Amino acid sequence: MDKLPPEILLHILEFTVVALYGNKNGLLKLRTTCRLFDEVLKPFALRTLQLEFTRLDRTERRLRPPNEDALRRVGPLCRALYLDMMVVRDEGEVKFLGDMFAQVPTMNSFVSTLRHRYCMNDASFTEIDYRNQLGVMLEYAPNVTAVKLNLPFQLVSPGQYRAATMILGNSFEALAQRPEESETLKTLVLENLSDMSVVSLWRNPQDVKNIMTAFSDLRNLFMSVRRNEEGQAHTINFRNRLWEMIGKAEKLESLCLVDLDADEKHYYDIKTSSQRDSTLEDWQFRCVPTIRKPPKSVLPNLKCLELRQVEVMGCGLLSMFKCFSNSLRELYLDGVYLKTIYSAESPQDINNTLWIGLPNVRPPLNHRWIATYLRQIKSQLRVCRVANLGYDQYIMGEEPVENNATYDLVDPSGLSRSLEQRFVEVATGIKQPPTPDGSPVSYFPEESSQDSWALADRERPANMRIDDWHASYYLSTQRNPTSAWQKSIDGQFANCNQFTLNALHNFADNAYNGMTLLNRMNASETTHTQGIV
């Protein structure tokens, strides 16, 4: 090896880094080969530093005391932080489980472990411990420009929990109070962000100031959102506060929003709800928060937007597109459901909100046809990719009636193209093939004066490949400017913490076993009571 020219050896090591993508432990072992290997591989292997429960828990710290000297040496090489707090439990959550399992003695140990080890307290770690440790890491790692924060993932959510809010608030404080010579934050991933945390932080002026400072130079933002509170007033408040928060990132270039309350396993062309399932108001407010009154900046530099696993109202989605129309160049939609209302008294209104629209018909007044609207507002999309689009239909009336609504799911050209492919074609101005009888197919804007720019003006490609229109395929095989940081905050190694996965599975298994025992006890008592009667 000593006889190899340095240039060749460096190329070999760089190729090794690529070959070991996702295998950080393998790369760390290679560092011990020799001093040259260590010097070349260290910037890759130590690109991301991790802070998780075992680095904070007092029991674990006694067994493995932290090495601050090592942190001081490797800190300048670090470019990203992975903060994994998913296993932290909340006192409210543990109290709820304790009350539920009060009649199941075998669950006492499980509940006690959650309370004394996994809740923030003097026996485990406090919010001050978390804030101090994160502050030390940021002090020794001045070149950090990307942060991923996994907030607590709660088993149950029957109320307002403080643990996630305290962790989020202290994280923003630590980021806002970094040493002056530090790099600014460019990429931020927030997983399991709760509506209660957003609303609570916005009540505190100091928290708002910290968010503004942390977001001042932010370019990429990923948020997966979970809602624990219901009610119209709270939902409107959350929507406004969320977009006020996002709006503080005036230099933001890419944004991804994911709704964790949506079902990500099953996709349907049409899913239905009725008054038997929920009120119209509750159904409407389950949609992802969208812009109604734009933030002051309106994110003038936003180039890339991704919406995933969300339900949207047509008016809210169009409002968002209109706000970003001057800057948006790339749009990705995956698992997005458009909410529509069906009433037996006015069945003709079923097509008020459509993904594409009806061919050769101008949208009537108060109709919202999404793809057609994107052309109408002169959107300048260079990339448009969608997958798993559908309709979320609400049937009015106390006695829901069956309806044969097909919306625009059928390909008028008779080519059996999917809704997603046709949406991309129409939104990007690709001319449509004729119907089977040879009649032309066009999608018109609302007014004839808009025809000059809104009608299709691009010739249809000879072959449309799946990556020309399919969002998840394109993002996984071509490039991902919106959500790649969710899996890998540094772009090199996947963010994975086996301790967290094992702990969460253990929590879920124990809770499931407890529910099984509780159900058996209740069934036994019911049988005994019926026998006495």
Side-chain angles (χ1 to χ4, degrees), residues 411-418 433-434 436 460:
D411 183 359
S413 300
L415 301 178
S416 300
R417 292 171 299 164
S418 66
R460 181 175 177 77

Side-chain angles (χ1 to χ4, degrees), residues 261-277:
D261 296 313
D263 186 353
E264 62 177 323
K265 296 181 180 179
H266 304 287
Y267 292 107
Y268 308 95
D269 290 337
I270 303 174
K271 60 180 182 180
T272 60
S273 302
S274 68
Q275 288 182 244
R276 293 177 178 176
D277 305 309

Side-chain angles (χ1 to χ4, degrees), residues 12-74:
I12 292 174
L13 290 175
E14 289 174 357
F15 179 80
T16 301
V17 172
V18 175
L20 289 174
Y21 177 84
N23 183 9
K24 190 170 185 177
N25 289 335
L27 197 64
L28 289 171
K29 289 179 181 178
L30 280 180
R31 285 183 56 207
T32 62
T33 304
C34 64
R35 182 174 298 177
L36 177 61
F37 273 45
D38 180 51
E39 289 301 316
V40 173
L41 298 177
K42 192 159 50 176
F44 297 99
L46 302 175
R47 186 174 294 178
T48 297
L49 293 181
Q50 180 171 292
L51 177 62
E52 38 83 28
F53 177 81
T54 61
R55 309 289 178 89
L56 294 166
D57 178 51
R58 285 186 169 87
T59 301
E60 294 287 344
R61 287 168 69 90
R62 282 194 295 269
L63 296 174
R64 295 185 301 168
N67 189 339
E68 196 165 310
D69 287 337
L71 179 61
R72 184 182 294 107
R73 291 194 303 271
V74 305

Side-chain angles (χ1 to χ4, degrees), residues 232-251:
Q232 179 178 358
H234 170 79
T235 302
I236 294 174
N237 191 24
F238 168 54
R239 179 192 69 205
N240 295 340
R241 301 294 86 78
L242 179 69
W243 280 103
E244 283 181 25
M245 175 188 287
I246 296 172
K248 300 304 179 186
E250 297 185 7
K251 298 179 182 179

Side-chain angles (χ1 to χ4, degrees), residues 252-255 299-306 320-333 374 377-385 424 427-428 458 474 479 481-482:
L252 198 67
E253 296 177 358
S254 77
L255 172 65
L299 303 178
N301 301 299
L302 189 70
K303 298 177 182 177
C304 307
L305 174 66
E306 179 182 354
M320 185 183 295
F321 291 158
K322 187 173 183 180
C323 287
F324 305 144
S325 60
N326 292 331
S327 62
L328 195 64
R329 298 295 179 269
E330 301 186 27
L331 175 65
Y332 305 93
L333 305 175
L374 285 169
I377 62 174
K378 300 183 180 180
S379 68
Q380 303 177 51
L381 294 177
R382 292 196 299 260
V383 177
C384 180
R385 301 290 186 272
V424 170
T428 56
R458 295 173 55 198
Y474 178 87
R479 51 187 293 275
T482 51

Side-chain angles (χ1 to χ4, degrees), residues 222-239:
F222 176 100
M223 288 181 168
S224 61
V225 181
R226 189 179 302 279
R227 281 165 287 178
N228 298 324
E229 190 74 15
E230 298 179 354
Q232 179 178 358
H234 170 79
T235 302
I236 294 174
N237 191 24
F238 168 54
R239 179 192 69 205

Side-chain angles (χ1 to χ4, degrees), residues 3-291:
K3 297 179 181 179
L4 286 175
E7 296 83 2
I8 294 179
L9 185 58
L10 287 175
H11 278 304
I12 292 174
L13 290 175
E14 289 174 357
F15 179 80
T16 301
V17 172
V18 175
L20 289 174
Y21 177 84
N23 183 9
K24 190 170 185 177
N25 289 335
L27 197 64
L28 289 171
K29 289 179 181 178
L30 280 180
R31 285 183 56 207
T32 62
T33 304
C34 64
R35 182 174 298 177
L36 177 61
F37 273 45
D38 180 51
E39 289 301 316
V40 173
L41 298 177
K42 192 159 50 176
F44 297 99
L46 302 175
R47 186 174 294 178
T48 297
L49 293 181
Q50 180 171 292
L51 177 62
E52 38 83 28
F53 177 81
T54 61
R55 309 289 178 89
L56 294 166
D57 178 51
R58 285 186 169 87
T59 301
E60 294 287 344
R61 287 168 69 90
R62 282 194 295 269
L63 296 174
R64 295 185 301 168
N67 189 339
E68 196 165 310
D69 287 337
L71 179 61
R72 184 182 294 107
R73 291 194 303 271
V74 305
L77 299 172
C78 177
R79 298 293 184 271
L81 290 184
Y82 175 34
L83 313 175
D84 185 5
M85 297 290 112
M86 290 182 71
V87 301
V88 176
R89 302 297 91 193
D90 191 280
E91 286 287 351
E93 177 186 23
V94 175
K95 182 180 184 304
F96 178 85
L97 291 172
D99 293 342
M100 184 169 62
F101 296 138
Q103 304 303 316
V104 187
T106 55
M107 297 301 295
N108 291 344
S109 175
F110 168 62
V111 174
S112 177
T113 300
L114 292 183
R115 177 175 290 112
H116 295 105
R117 187 180 182 198
Y118 292 101
C119 289
M120 288 196 291
N121 53 53
D122 291 334
S124 179
F125 73 94
T126 66
E127 63 172 311
I128 296 175
D129 295 329
Y130 172 77
R131 171 64 180 86
N132 290 341
Q133 185 61 33
L134 179 54
V136 169
M137 293 183 71
L138 289 170
E139 180 181 352
Y140 289 143
N143 298 315
V144 165
T145 60
V147 172
K148 178 177 180 179
L149 173 59
N150 284 358
L151 291 162
F153 182 86
Q154 292 151 357
L155 296 175
V156 291
S157 53
Q160 180 176 353
Y161 290 150
R162 297 181 61 248
T165 303
M166 289 189 293
I167 290 172
L168 183 62
N170 279 284
S171 300
F172 281 134
E173 181 181 89
L175 290 168
Q177 296 181 5
R178 297 175 68 184
E180 290 185 4
E181 65 276 8
S182 301
E183 294 284 344
T184 56
L185 187 66
K186 298 292 197 303
T187 300
L188 178 62
V189 175
L190 295 176
E191 292 270 26
N192 299 316
L193 179 66
S194 99
D195 54 348
M196 299 304 299
S197 294
V198 173
V199 172
S200 296
L201 290 185
W202 222 254
R203 296 193 187 106
N204 187 337
Q206 186 58 52
D207 286 324
V208 176
K209 184 178 179 181
N210 291 335
I211 292 171
M212 293 173 65
T213 302
F215 279 32
S216 62
D217 201 31
L218 199 64
R219 309 303 171 92
N220 310 296
L221 179 60
F222 176 100
M223 288 181 168
S224 61
V225 181
R226 189 179 302 279
R227 281 165 287 178
N228 298 324
E229 190 74 15
E230 298 179 354
Q232 179 178 358
H234 170 79
T235 302
I236 294 174
N237 191 24
F238 168 54
R239 179 192 69 205
N240 295 340
R241 301 294 86 78
L242 179 69
W243 280 103
E244 283 181 25
M245 175 188 287
I246 296 172
K248 300 304 179 186
E250 297 185 7
K251 298 179 182 179
L252 198 67
E253 296 177 358
S254 77
L255 172 65
C256 179
L257 291 177
V258 180
D259 187 352
L260 295 176
D261 296 313
D263 186 353
E264 62 177 323
K265 296 181 180 179
H266 304 287
Y267 292 107
Y268 308 95
D269 290 337
I270 303 174
K271 60 180 182 180
T272 60
S273 302
S274 68
Q275 288 182 244
R276 293 177 178 176
D277 305 309
S278 67
T279 65
L280 176 62
E281 182 182 88
D282 290 340
W283 173 82
Q284 289 175 326
F285 282 103
R286 279 205 304 266
C287 62
V288 68
T290 50
I291 301 177

